[in-house]
Amino acid sequence: MHIQTIITQPFNDQKPGTSGLRKKVKIFQQTGYLENFVQSIFDTLSEAGGLPTDATLTVGGDGRYYNRHAIQTIIKMAAANGFARVIVGQAGIFSTPAVSHIIRKYQTFGGMILSASHNQGGVHGDFGIKYNISNGGPAPEKITDEVFAKSKVITAYKIADLPEIDIDTLGETSFDGGNFTVQVMNAVQDYADLMQTLFDFPAIKRLLTSGFQMKFDAMHAVTGPYAQEIFINRLGASAHSLMNCVPSEDFGGGHPDPNLTYAEDLVKIMFSGETAPDFGAASDGDGDRNMILGKNFFVTPSDSLAVLAANATLVPAYVHGIAGVARSMPTSGAVDRVAAKLNIPCYETPTGWKFFGNLMDAGKVTLCGEESFGTSSNHVREKDGLWAVLFWLNVLAQKNTAGAACSVEQILKSHWTEFGRNVYSRHDYETIPTDAANDVMQHIKTQFASLPNQKFGSYAVKTCDDFSYHDSIDGSVSHNQGVRILFVDGSRIVFRLSGTGTEGATLRIYLEAFEPDSTKQSVDAQGALAEMIQIALKISQLKEKTGRDTPTVIT
Ligand code: G1P
Ligand code: ZN
């Protein structure tokens, strides 16, 4: 096998964000751009102890434009950099949770996920690449920081002269007298098998074949084939339970983000009155996010996490209880209340799944989640969209037996009666000029000394800070993880700049208030939070500084 060393120039913008490196496809298409980043990952790995002689790399993506090209390059570079084997999903496809599972099941050295998640795809859309370590989870900051450092000084990359690899035919192809092997694997099978070990498939099958209507929207993205195998082939759901299940390179021209704005086709169906299905769900580009809907009812992701934690023992995998829970800081405190009642620990981490890995590896938490439509458990080290959908179906199956009917809305309402309701909303201001976004954040921080004890209408500020996280497992500290304004009555406003956007800046405002009185819990979140929204705008001067009157997305 002939290995070429290609001289290259560094790029200065290869800093991984909340979840890997995401850029416009056009940026990735620059000569050497992808190669530099991949080589910087390999250089970081070899410096951190090197590869074992039988090192295997798992590679797959969400099928977006540039996926196939990137996979060919990564395979050739893996061969040149000492990997003995690459496992690649058929047609280059693997959902993010499936990659995590494959890494764990086959104990591969690590994996590369090719996705920009919920960002738009196609030639004019985004592409992304993320490295996951041997526990199946996203590389922690000490690795991503090192990759960035290496990318700034890189001078050459290594690539093997291999023919174009057939990634569409299942099976193995060996090169260099068996020293390097590419294994094309069914992308769905192992993942579907794993789900079957966690959930009560016979009970879910009874539910789905007894008149209970569900609608799952894969948003033209990676979960389509997984949904087909799991819901139709294994659980007996009818074909019209699925929509948009053929993955496309540009996600049908849409935005594969399962929220009330971008999953509008599904939302219309689920809010169509009495004839709406009983249960609706959607997942994102790479299959790690989920949105849960009931008949004319939306479940906030923060509430979803709390409901799953409270009902975990209804699911075979968690029948003996859960060790603990974790949520990202901006996620509502609904799950904290469940943890308190179950007498298990609840951890608050910065935004991004990479912060949960240490806690799960140490056995401290079983379930974790984020307000951004991410929930999962220690079965993998990524968030997992279909897992959340199956969890909900399993809970519904348990609560809809022997003639008893229980809707998604009823589950939420009785949850709120028991635990109180954390009324919650997130307002996103997308693609605002970076300078204006920084100015807003700076303006809030300059008020840190004067805000405490100030009154704004019916709210009084207790404290404010810029969130820092101390990882109790590895001792690392992460600063500047979002500005929090905490009020005396327990309400809070959080301001944070997105770390996943590729154009300008995205400013997120997270709003939360607690309502213990069950007679007042059936309120519309925007109405209940209206005064806090005005306070957030006043303190941040967001309208004045960005010229934006309304958020791009409200969740
Ligand atoms: C967003 C979400 C965050 C999630 C990440 C990756 O990051 O807010 O919770 O982990 O996408 O899916 P952000 O754009 O806010 O940095
Ligand atoms: Zn995603």
Side-chain angles (χ1 to χ4, degrees):
M1 188 164 59
H2 180 244
I3 292 168
Q4 290 192 54
T5 300
I6 311 276
I7 303 301
T8 188
Q9 299 288 326
F11 295 87
N12 61 7
D13 64 346
Q14 298 197 320
K15 185 173 171 53
T18 312
S19 185
L21 181 70
R22 290 187 195 169
K23 299 283 175 194
K24 292 269 166 236
V25 166
K26 292 238 152 8
I27 304 258
F28 267 103
Q29 284 173 326
Q30 297 172 89
T31 306
Y33 195 88
L34 172 73
E35 291 84 349
N36 277 16
F37 190 69
V38 171
Q39 187 65 50
S40 302
I41 294 173
F42 290 151
D43 288 346
T44 302
L45 300 181
S46 58
E47 209 176 83
L51 300 179
T53 47
D54 60 347
T56 299
L57 184 72
T58 306
V59 183
D62 62 10
R64 67 179 59 223
Y65 181 77
Y66 214 53
N67 201 23
R68 283 176 171 275
H69 174 88
I71 286 176
Q72 295 292 337
T73 302
I74 291 168
I75 291 173
K76 291 172 194 165
M77 289 185 66
N81 280 276
F83 279 90
R85 177 180 285 262
V86 171
I87 291 178
V88 55
Q90 191 174 22
I93 302 277
F94 264 141
S95 74
T96 289
V99 170
S100 187
H101 176 53
I102 296 291
I103 293 173
R104 294 167 67 77
K105 179 167 179 179
Y106 298 102
Q107 298 180 358
T108 75
F109 188 79
M112 291 213 192
I113 300 177
L114 307 168
S115 171
S117 186
H118 50 289
N119 295 7
Q120 274 182 298
V123 188
H124 304 292
D126 292 350
F127 189 72
I129 173 166
K130 181 168 82 163
Y131 182 71
N132 280 30
I133 58 175
S134 59
N135 75 350
E141 273 184 338
K142 65 172 189 298
I143 293 185
T144 54
D145 287 349
E146 190 53 40
V147 171
F148 181 44
K150 295 231 176 317
S151 76
K152 288 191 286 192
V153 295
I154 189 169
T155 56
Y157 65 84
K158 287 195 278 184
I159 188 159
D161 278 337
L162 293 178
E164 188 82 356
I165 313 285
D166 172 7
I167 56 172
D168 294 287
T169 310
L170 294 176
E172 296 193 0
T173 317
S174 286
F175 302 91
D176 193 24
N179 285 329
F180 180 69
T181 300
V182 178
Q183 178 181 357
V184 179
M185 195 181 262
N186 179 306
V188 173
Q189 182 90 29
D190 283 303
Y191 176 83
D193 290 350
L194 172 67
M195 292 300 114
Q196 204 154 350
T197 67
L198 302 175
F199 299 106
D200 186 345
F201 270 39
I204 300 174
K205 187 168 192 171
R206 279 195 295 280
L207 178 77
L208 295 180
T209 51
S210 65
F212 181 96
Q213 299 291 323
M214 76 168 270
K215 198 81 171 171
F216 175 78
D217 186 353
M219 302 190 81
H220 308 277
V222 77
T223 53
Y226 294 83
Q228 174 73 35
E229 172 64 14
I230 293 170
F231 297 122
I232 310 288
N233 301 355
R234 301 198 187 193
L235 290 169
S238 69
H240 62 250
S241 303
L242 306 186
M243 59 195 277
N244 303 323
C245 276
V246 179
S248 82
E249 287 197 329
D250 69 346
F251 309 114
H255 216 124
D257 199 358
N259 59 38
L260 294 173
T261 304
Y262 296 127
E264 62 169 330
D265 293 347
L266 175 72
V267 171
K268 253 189 221 142
I269 294 169
M270 294 305 300
F271 283 83
S272 60
E274 259 324 290
T275 56
D278 303 293
F279 178 77
S283 60
D284 73 329
D286 60 327
D288 59 356
R289 294 186 174 201
N290 73 91
M291 175 168 67
I292 301 294
L293 301 166
K295 195 191 271 286
N296 309 300
F297 192 82
F298 167 65
V299 183
T300 71
S302 296
D303 276 346
S304 178
L305 174 63
V307 167
L308 300 188
N311 292 284
T313 53
L314 296 179
V315 171
Y318 315 104
V319 70
H320 300 301
I322 50 180
V325 291
R327 64 163 172 85
S328 65
M329 180 274 283
T331 303
S332 96
V335 74
D336 304 36
R337 297 174 190 282
V338 176
K341 196 153 190 170
L342 295 176
N343 201 20
I344 55 172
C346 176
Y347 295 85
E348 185 177 40
T349 59
T351 295
W353 210 262
K354 58 185 173 234
F355 294 100
F356 295 134
N358 279 346
L359 293 168
M360 286 192 277
D361 285 351
K364 306 266 183 208
V365 306
T366 308
L367 300 189
C368 31
E370 296 193 275
E371 48 62 44
S372 54
F373 299 88
T375 23
S376 194
S377 83
N378 58 359
H379 67 288
V380 287
R381 293 292 182 276
E382 283 281 1
K383 56 194 175 218
D384 190 343
L386 284 170
W387 169 89
V389 177
L390 287 164
F391 200 133
W392 266 95
L393 286 172
N394 199 147
V395 170
L396 284 159
Q398 294 299 329
K399 290 182 184 273
N400 281 276
T401 47
C406 180
S407 69
V408 171
E409 181 169 355
Q410 282 164 336
I411 291 179
L412 259 295
K413 293 205 163 147
S414 56
H415 184 92
W416 293 338
T417 304
E418 184 177 352
F419 296 97
R421 178 177 176 193
N422 291 65
V423 183
Y424 188 83
S425 183
R426 182 175 111 180
H427 288 205
D428 295 333
Y429 293 79
E430 296 178 343
T431 57
I432 52 181
T434 307
D435 287 349
N438 289 335
D439 191 20
V440 171
M441 295 300 284
Q442 205 41 46
H443 181 66
I444 307 165
K445 290 185 203 173
T446 57
Q447 300 167 71
F448 273 2
S450 60
L451 278 173
N453 304 319
Q454 264 194 62
K455 277 200 116 184
F456 293 88
S458 33
Y459 294 87
V461 177
K462 190 175 167 201
T463 56
C464 42
D465 66 4
D466 199 340
F467 181 65
S468 290
Y469 177 63
H470 299 250
D471 186 314
S472 56
I473 311 297
D474 69 10
S476 62
V477 182
S478 304
H479 295 291
N480 304 320
Q481 298 296 326
V483 166
R484 308 190 287 184
I485 300 177
L486 309 174
F487 296 94
V488 172
D489 70 350
S491 319
R492 60 175 192 158
I493 302 173
V494 175
F495 297 88
R496 209 186 131 258
L497 292 180
S498 157
T500 58
T502 57
E503 230 183 310
T506 293
L507 204 149
R508 309 198 193 282
I509 306 180
Y510 310 79
L511 306 130
E512 179 178 1
F514 183 60
E515 180 52 77
D517 182 344
S518 63
T519 64
K520 295 183 186 158
Q521 287 169 346
S522 288
V523 287
D524 162 56
Q526 301 311 313
L529 297 169
E531 190 183 352
M532 279 178 66
I533 293 167
Q534 291 314 314
I535 296 170
L537 295 176
K538 184 165 182 206
I539 292 176
S540 65
Q541 295 282 294
L542 184 141
K543 283 191 182 183
E544 294 76 357
K545 291 183 182 298
T546 66
R548 291 291 182 85
D549 270 340
T550 47
T552 327
V553 177
I554 294 181
T555 301

